[in-house]
């Protein structure tokens, strides 16, 4: 295959010319007679997403959608309509809401269905009365370590559950079957192809062995790098060209949207609250797990949103003997300060960030963090200027999977188009220990490409996705 008459971003710079593919590799020339005339379109390395909840994303495509709702009444109406399609007794899940739902409205409209719909950051969810009853959550239920049950003035649960408190729901919501997971994988792969995503990280929230089995049963059209929970008792090594167990993922704190991000100073709108540090960080469990995984040469990715959490995770990573290139990752790295930015650069710890969060959180984040602290929110520009290793992704389903949406969000905060492309391609390949074969267009690299309609990012859309030398999507 040969792509001709287009413009190219190679990963090192912009160029014009052709891209030759021999089998599943970029080549100097190609014996394949097929020629694709790009007619001026723009070719980039296939996008790599640093952070998704990929199978959840596939499920979410068929669950209740609340991201764009404009009122609590609209949320309740959508949930009720979805419940009617499922039938009595079936769980209503999904959501991705930003505008907080009203449980009283939902209770009135879903008397026969348990409901648990999560906030778009997945650190808070709302349960209706039927779901609370099934989970056994009452006014006598204590907050679990690392979580919170919101209560009204009389001490009754409001239905809002934060972080570890959501585990009670996970315990009673029926788990999808393997067959249902396979269908979700296929739906998610179609979405990835549409978005030009040829490699991604799937960071499991919970240990789900059937996720790996589901991936193994599908012809993958996107390379999957699966990060399983750091609490997993054992670690199986598994790697194929399209599917590999890549590392372990853990949590240090919650999220800004749920007011559970661990901050040095209280939130502006709640002087009593500095967020939640996860119990595993407080009791030393994370440190022990990191030590064990690191000794076995397993990559570690730790979630940290608040400045206090980022400080704690950097301190933990910096304490490891500097004897080899570990490529430790901090997922999100959202709220920093000048010292933390410099520590990222000095330590080589990867800042695994998701630019579109700056857009969605920007609608309300100023009510919780303002002044000098606000200058260090989503500090893409400061980290790049300091020489830190920055990678980009979506956190799908928390934000849209489309990398072009993320690129535009990063550029709105001072990142150049070339820098954003690098953070979505070659930098991510480095973070996955695959920079020798992914993330650039050069002879010998794997033939993973995205063809965009234009090299003007404001106008661009994905028109073709090539993975392993085969067209997997074409508009």
């Amino acid at each position: 295959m040969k792509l001709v008459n287009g413009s190219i971003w190679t990963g090192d710079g912009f160029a014009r010319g052709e891209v030759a593919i021999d089998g599943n590799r970029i080549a100097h020339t190609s014996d394949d007679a097929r020629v694709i005339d790009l007619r001026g379109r723009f070719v980039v390395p296939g996008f790599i997403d640093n952070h998704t909840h990929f199978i959840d994303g596939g499920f979410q495509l068929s669950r209740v959608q609340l991201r764009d709702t404009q009122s609590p009444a609209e949320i309740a109406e959508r949930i009720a309509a979805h419940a009617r399609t499922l039938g009595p007794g079936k769980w209503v899940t999904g959501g991705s809401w930003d505008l907080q739902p009203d449980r009283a409205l939902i209770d009135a409209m879903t008397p026969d269905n348990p409901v648990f719909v999560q906030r778009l950051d997945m650190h808070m969810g709302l349960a209706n009365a039927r779901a609370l009853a099934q989970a056994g959550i009452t006014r006598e239920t204590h907050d679990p370590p690392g979580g919170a049950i919101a209560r009204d003035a009389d001490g009754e649960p409001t239905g809002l559950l934060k972080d570890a408190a959501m585990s009670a729901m996970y315990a009673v919501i029926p788990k999808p079957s393997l067959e249902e997971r396979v269908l979700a994988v296929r739906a998610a792969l179609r979405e990835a192809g549409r978005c030009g995503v040829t490699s991604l990280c799937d960071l499991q929230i919970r240990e789900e062995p059937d996720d790996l089995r589901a991936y193994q049963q599908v012809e993958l059209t996107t390379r999957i790098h699966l990060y399983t929970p750091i609490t997993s008792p054992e670690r199986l090594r598994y790697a194929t060209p399209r599917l590999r167990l890549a590392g372990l993922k853990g949590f240090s704190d919650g999220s800004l949207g749920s007011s559970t991000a661990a901050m040095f100073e209280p939130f502006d709108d709640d002087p009593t609250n500095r967020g939640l540090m996860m119990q595993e960080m407080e009791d030393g469990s994370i440190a022990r797990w990191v030590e064990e995984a690191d000794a076995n040469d397993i990559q570690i990715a730790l979630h940290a949103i608040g400045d206090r959490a980022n400080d704690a995770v950097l301190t933990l990573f910096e304490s490891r003997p500097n004897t080899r290139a570990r490529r430790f990752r901090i997922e999100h790295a959202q709220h920093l300060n000048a010292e933390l930015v410099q520590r990222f650069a000095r330590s080589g710890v990867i800042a695994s960030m998701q630019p579109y969060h700056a857009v969605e959180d920007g609608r309300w984040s100023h009510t919780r963090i303002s002044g000098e602290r606000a200058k260090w929110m989503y500090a893409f520009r400061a980290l790049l200027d300091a020489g830190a290793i920055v990678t980009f992704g979506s956190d799908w389903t928390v934000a849209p999977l489309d990398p072009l949406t993320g690129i535009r969000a990063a550029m709105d905060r001072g990142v150049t188009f070339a820098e954003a492309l690098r953070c979505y391609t070659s930098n991510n390949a480095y973070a996955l220990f695959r920079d020798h074969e992914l993330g650039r267009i050069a002879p010998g690299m794997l033939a993973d490409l995205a063809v965009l309609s234009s090299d003007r990012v404001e106008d661009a859309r994905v028109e073709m996705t090539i993975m392993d030398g085969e067209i997997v999507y074409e508009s």
Side-chain angles (χ1 to χ4, degrees):
M1 184 189 303
K2 189 181 295 183
L3 310 180
V4 301
N5 298 325
S7 57
I8 305 164
W9 189 76
T10 65
D12 298 312
F14 294 92
R16 294 196 64 83
E18 64 182 39
V19 179
I21 299 173
D22 187 9
N24 71 338
R25 300 275 175 174
I26 307 295
H28 289 288
T29 60
S30 175
D31 295 329
D32 190 332
R34 182 175 187 183
V35 175
I36 297 175
D37 189 345
L38 295 171
R39 298 184 177 89
R41 289 180 291 178
F42 184 42
V43 183
V44 301
F47 293 118
I48 304 173
D49 192 309
N50 68 11
H51 190 120
T52 73
H53 305 282
F54 196 62
I55 295 182
D56 283 347
F59 278 121
Q60 180 61 25
L61 293 171
S62 62
R63 291 174 175 167
V64 65
Q65 309 287 327
L66 303 176
R67 179 184 294 272
D68 62 340
T69 50
Q70 301 299 310
S71 69
E74 185 182 1
I75 291 175
E77 289 164 3
R78 286 199 194 179
I79 290 172
H82 190 74
R84 288 193 292 271
T85 69
L86 299 174
K90 299 293 186 180
W91 278 82
V92 177
T93 57
S96 291
W97 50 267
D98 194 12
L99 178 68
Q100 186 169 305
D102 183 322
R103 189 189 122 194
L105 289 174
I106 295 169
D107 280 347
M109 300 177 75
T110 57
D112 300 321
N113 296 82
V115 174
F116 184 63
V117 287
Q118 290 183 288
R119 190 181 184 278
L120 53 82
D121 62 10
M122 300 173 75
H123 285 267
M124 179 164 64
L126 182 87
N128 71 349
R130 193 178 179 101
L132 289 172
Q134 289 199 26
I137 295 176
T138 69
R139 64 180 299 140
E140 283 75 37
T141 305
H142 296 293
D143 288 356
I149 300 169
R151 305 170 194 273
D152 64 19
D154 297 323
E156 292 290 341
T158 66
L160 283 174
L161 306 175
K162 299 183 180 184
D163 288 301
M166 296 189 294
S167 297
M169 287 296 148
Y170 301 148
V172 296
I173 295 173
K175 290 187 180 298
S177 67
L178 178 59
E179 292 73 22
E180 289 170 327
R181 290 180 193 276
V182 167
L183 292 174
V185 169
R186 290 182 174 140
L189 288 170
R190 289 192 293 272
E191 181 71 1
R194 188 184 69 82
C195 293
V197 175
T198 56
S199 293
L200 58 86
C201 302
D202 180 358
L203 286 92
Q204 287 183 319
I205 296 175
R206 299 169 295 282
E207 180 63 22
E208 299 288 1
D210 276 352
D211 282 3
L212 179 60
R213 298 188 187 106
Y215 282 131
Q216 290 169 328
Q217 293 191 20
V218 174
E219 182 180 354
L220 296 176
T221 52
T222 298
R223 301 182 198 277
I224 306 294
H225 303 81
L226 187 60
Y227 288 74
T228 57
I230 198 168
T231 54
S232 302
E234 59 184 25
R235 176 78 180 157
L236 300 177
R237 295 186 182 274
Y238 180 89
T240 72
R242 299 190 183 187
L243 174 62
R244 61 181 57 186
L245 287 167
L248 296 176
K249 189 266 181 88
F251 287 87
S252 68
D253 69 342
S255 74
L256 186 65
S258 301
S259 298
T260 53
M263 307 296 296
F264 283 120
E265 300 296 330
F267 296 112
D268 290 359
D269 59 348
D270 185 356
T272 68
N273 182 16
R274 295 193 303 134
L276 285 173
M277 195 74 83
M278 291 297 164
Q279 179 69 18
E280 293 84 356
M281 286 292 292
E282 301 279 22
D283 66 16
S285 297
I286 288 280
R288 292 193 299 274
W289 292 328
V290 166
E291 181 178 4
E292 180 181 355
D294 189 39
N296 286 281
D297 203 20
I298 297 171
Q299 191 184 32
I300 304 296
L302 293 183
H303 162 119
I305 298 282
D307 51 14
R308 181 161 58 101
N310 277 277
D311 173 73
V313 175
L314 280 171
T315 298
L316 176 57
F317 286 160
E318 290 162 344
S319 72
R320 300 301 303 153
N322 188 22
T323 56
R324 60 181 172 81
R326 293 175 170 82
R327 306 187 192 183
F328 288 135
R329 299 166 52 128
I330 291 185
E331 304 302 310
H332 310 306
Q334 276 187 195
H335 305 291
L336 306 177
N337 56 41
E339 180 190 0
L340 291 171
V341 166
Q342 294 302 319
R343 286 171 64 188
F344 268 100
R346 289 195 303 269
S347 66
V349 171
I350 294 161
S352 172
M353 308 180 80
Q354 296 73 46
Y356 196 68
H357 289 340
V359 175
E360 293 196 317
D361 289 4
R363 300 167 190 156
W364 47 262
S365 58
H366 61 280
T367 65
R368 295 185 187 163
I369 297 177
S370 61
E372 180 65 24
R373 289 196 298 171
K375 298 177 183 178
W376 298 99
M377 298 164 61
Y378 319 102
F380 316 129
R381 182 73 266 156
L383 286 161
L384 290 168
D385 287 344
I389 302 163
V390 178
T391 67
F392 284 162
S394 64
D395 205 5
W396 190 53
T397 61
V398 176
L401 183 63
D402 179 15
L404 292 171
T405 300
I407 286 172
R408 294 178 189 117
M411 292 175 67
D412 285 343
R413 296 186 71 86
V415 178
T416 69
F417 188 22
E419 287 171 329
L421 285 170
R422 193 170 291 115
C423 290
Y424 261 110
T425 55
S426 55
N427 284 11
N428 264 325
Y430 172 86
L432 292 169
F433 294 87
R434 301 192 72 175
D435 42 316
H436 62 290
E437 59 183 356
L438 293 176
R440 293 185 299 115
I441 300 176
M445 306 295 281
L446 285 166
D448 292 1
L449 305 167
V451 178
L452 310 184
S453 59
S454 171
D455 59 6
R456 287 173 45 86
V457 68
E458 57 269 30
D459 303 324
R461 66 183 185 280
V462 175
E463 294 195 344
M464 181 184 295
T465 303
I466 298 171
M467 202 278 289
D468 237 8
E470 299 290 334
I471 297 173
V472 297
Y473 169 81
E474 193 168 8
S475 64

